[in-house]
Amino acid sequence: QQPVQSPQAVILREGEDAVINCSSSKALYSVHWYRQKHGEAPVFLMILLKGGEQKGHDKISASFNEKKQQSSLYLTASQLSYSGTYFCGTYMNTGNQFYFGTGTSLTVIP
Amino acid sequence: DTGVSQNPRHKITKRGQNVTFRCDPISEHNRLYWYRQTLGQGPEFLTYFQNEAQLEKSRLLSDRFSAERPKGSFSTLEIQRTEQGDSAMYLCASSLNRVLQETQYFGPGTRLLVL
């Protein structure tokens, strides 16, 4: 039931781009993206609700495919502050339990 | 500060003792969630409240765990007879109930260490 993310970990140099994928075997009602820095709480990034939706702010954007089984998070021209673990998450069809994905550790180095 | 707050931030206890954590959500939020997170893993859902009603509990929530939200505002999570496997970060989140658009805002967490 837990969404699966890939890659598990990625190391980038400042200014490089990254894509993080989140996949589910079943269609999702919505997908949420969070970033968590070490020792801190997850921080909400964005939510996608509709198949085919794309949205973003600044240099972080995301897409949700038409079948609503895959979402991708795009980080462009990465900055040191982008380092952290990124989680996708979704409510299951009961609308009550929230499942986080397996997580992707992103490290940006100078 | 009008964010989600949690107390204490850290707790060290001996195996077999009881512990209680508190979460104060964002004031207008009617939904409150508890999660547990162990090192290197994502948060795992434990339970959630809508107002004062506890509407769902994960199978992870054994009978040693109990949560309350007596007046639909703050919530407490109690762990009785703690075990070393209970060592984790306990996260609280709150949200405003909008169908399919609930964004959860997380507190800083309570880190529990059971010796």
Side-chain angles (χ1 to χ4, degrees):
Chain A
Q1 300 238 355
Q2 180 183 33
V4 176
Q5 290 181 231
S6 63
Q8 285 187 315
V10 58
I11 299 175
L12 300 173
R13 292 199 178 275
E14 263 185 300
E16 291 183 337
D17 302 339
V19 180
I20 299 171
N21 298 306
C22 172
S23 296
S24 171
S25 57
K26 297 183 180 180
L28 306 172
Y29 284 101
S30 60
V31 65
H32 306 231
W33 284 97
Y34 286 85
R35 177 172 60 210
Q36 185 176 31
K37 292 185 179 287
H38 182 69
E40 299 180 8
V43 173
F44 172 77
L45 295 175
M46 66 186 79
I47 179 176
L48 297 105
L49 301 173
K50 301 176 183 176
E53 183 176 4
Q54 294 188 359
K55 65 171 24 175
H57 48 83
D58 199 9
K59 294 174 182 161
I60 301 177
S61 61
S63 64
F64 200 11
N65 76 343
E66 288 290 343
K67 291 187 176 180
K68 300 180 73 174
Q69 288 181 270
Q70 179 165 339
S71 177
S72 296
L73 185 71
Y74 306 93
L75 301 112
T76 58
S78 57
Q79 306 168 15
L80 294 176
S81 62
Y82 287 3
S83 293
T85 301
Y86 289 79
F87 293 99
C88 62
T90 185
Y91 291 96
M92 300 312 290
N93 54 11
T94 62
N96 297 332
Q97 293 204 24
F98 190 81
Y99 287 89
F100 281 88
T102 50
T104 297
S105 172
L106 182 87
T107 304
V108 181
I109 58 176
Chain B
D1 185 25
T2 57
V4 178
S5 62
Q6 292 187 245
N7 288 289
R9 295 291 307 275
H10 303 273
K11 179 72 177 178
I12 300 174
T13 191
K14 292 183 179 178
R15 190 174 52 186
Q17 297 294 306
N18 299 342
V19 294
T20 300
F21 310 141
R22 176 177 171 129
C23 171
D24 287 89
I26 294 171
S27 59
E28 64 268 26
H29 285 184
N30 59 347
R31 284 198 170 193
L32 187 148
Y33 298 78
W34 283 101
Y35 294 86
R36 180 174 68 190
Q37 186 174 25
T38 52
L39 202 61
Q41 303 296 316
E44 296 173 297
F45 171 85
L46 292 178
T47 188
Y48 101 101
F49 292 84
Q50 177 142 335
N51 300 313
E52 66 276 9
Q54 188 175 17
L55 296 185
E56 193 145 351
K57 293 193 287 187
S58 162
R59 292 187 209 107
L60 294 173
L61 212 65
S62 76
D63 55 8
R64 295 185 297 106
F65 288 69
S66 62
E68 294 183 341
R69 195 182 182 197
K71 296 183 181 178
S73 57
F74 73 91
S75 175
T76 58
L77 178 69
E78 181 184 14
I79 308 174
Q80 296 182 327
R81 305 181 304 281
T82 52
E83 301 173 356
Q84 288 183 324
D86 297 331
S87 295
M89 173 77 87
Y90 289 85
L91 293 164
C92 171
S94 70
S95 69
L96 192 59
N97 184 17
R98 294 184 207 162
V99 177
L100 299 183
Q101 295 187 38
E102 290 187 42
T103 297
Q104 296 182 36
Y105 295 91
F106 283 81
T110 295
R111 186 171 293 282
L112 173 68
L113 178 60
V114 181
L115 301 175

